[in-house]
Amino acid sequence: MLRGRFSAETKTFRLARRLRYLCSRAVGNRLQNSQQTLFTTRNGKRFKRLILRDTALAAEFERNLEAFKGSPHFPSVAIRYEHELWLEYVEGSPITNVDAALVEKIADFYAATYRHSTQAVSIAETTVLYRLQRDLSLLNQVGVLSESVYRSLSAAAEKLAPESV
C-alpha cells in the first residue's frame, strides 16, 4: 500500500492529529464526524474513499448516489465493500470568487437535487418547521443569535411557512 512513502515529520504530524482527535472525542467538547474521508490512487486512477461507521449507512449512501447516476453533480460509486465506499474522484478547485456563474451552478445543483423523486407534502406532515425552530433556538442559546433576532426569525418562519413543500 502506501507504507514508507511519508517522511518522519509527516508521520509525527499525523500521529499528533490523530491523538488530538481522540482526546477531543473523549472530552466531548464538540460534534464529531463519524466517518473518514481519504484519497487514494490505484494504477494511476484517483478515488475518494469514505469509511463510514457501519455497512447499512454505506449501503444507504450507495443507493442515494446511484439514484443520481449520470448526473454531473455527484460522483459515481466505483465500489462498496462493507462500510467503505470508493467514489470516482471529481477534479475541482476551491471557491475563491463568488460570481453570477457560480451562483447559477449552485442553483442548478439544488434544482437537480430537489427535482429528483419529488412529491408535494403538507408542511404539517414534516419536521421542517420543528427543525428550523430547534436550530434557531440552539443558535440563540450559544450566543450566535441575540434574543430579539431569534424571536424575529422564529416568528417569521411561522408566518412565511408554505402550506406544502
Side-chain angles (χ1 to χ4, degrees):
M1 293 264 270
L2 300 175
R3 299 194 194 295
R5 293 182 55 186
F6 298 105
S7 70
E9 183 179 302
T10 302
K11 289 178 183 177
T12 302
F13 171 76
R14 293 174 106 190
L15 179 61
R17 186 175 67 186
R18 189 171 283 165
L19 286 172
R20 188 174 62 244
Y21 171 78
L22 290 172
C23 288
S24 70
R25 251 188 111 91
V27 172
N29 61 355
R30 62 183 171 148
L31 297 174
Q32 303 283 334
N33 284 335
S34 59
Q35 68 188 41
Q36 274 187 302
T37 304
L38 306 166
F39 297 94
T40 188
T41 303
R42 294 291 187 265
N43 198 27
K45 177 94 170 135
R46 195 152 187 217
F47 298 94
K48 179 179 184 178
R49 292 175 56 197
L50 288 178
I51 302 171
L52 302 155
R53 68 179 177 267
D54 62 35
T55 302
L57 189 58
E60 183 180 351
F61 269 57
E62 181 182 31
R63 278 190 304 276
N64 288 338
L65 287 169
E66 286 176 345
F68 288 94
K69 67 179 177 262
S71 166
H73 300 90
F74 295 95
S76 299
V77 175
I79 192 164
R80 179 184 62 84
Y81 179 71
E82 294 181 351
H83 66 286
E84 186 171 328
L85 279 170
W86 285 37
L87 307 174
E88 300 288 332
Y89 182 76
V90 177
E91 289 290 336
S93 56
I95 296 171
T96 56
N97 185 27
V98 177
D99 57 12
L102 175 64
V103 171
E104 188 157 326
K105 285 181 183 179
I106 292 171
D108 183 47
F109 166 79
Y110 280 107
T113 303
Y114 287 108
R115 178 172 43 243
H116 185 74
S117 300
T118 60
Q119 67 182 40
V121 178
S122 166
I123 199 155
E125 295 176 34
T126 71
T127 59
V128 173
L129 284 177
Y130 165 77
R131 287 182 177 187
L132 176 59
Q133 294 293 356
R134 180 192 66 193
D135 293 348
L136 291 173
S137 176
L138 175 67
L139 292 172
N140 172 248
Q141 291 171 27
V142 299
V144 174
L145 296 178
S146 69
E147 189 66 30
S148 63
V149 171
Y150 162 66
R151 291 192 187 285
S152 175
L153 287 173
S154 184
E158 294 291 335
K159 181 180 172 186
L160 298 172
E163 295 284 322
S164 64
V165 289

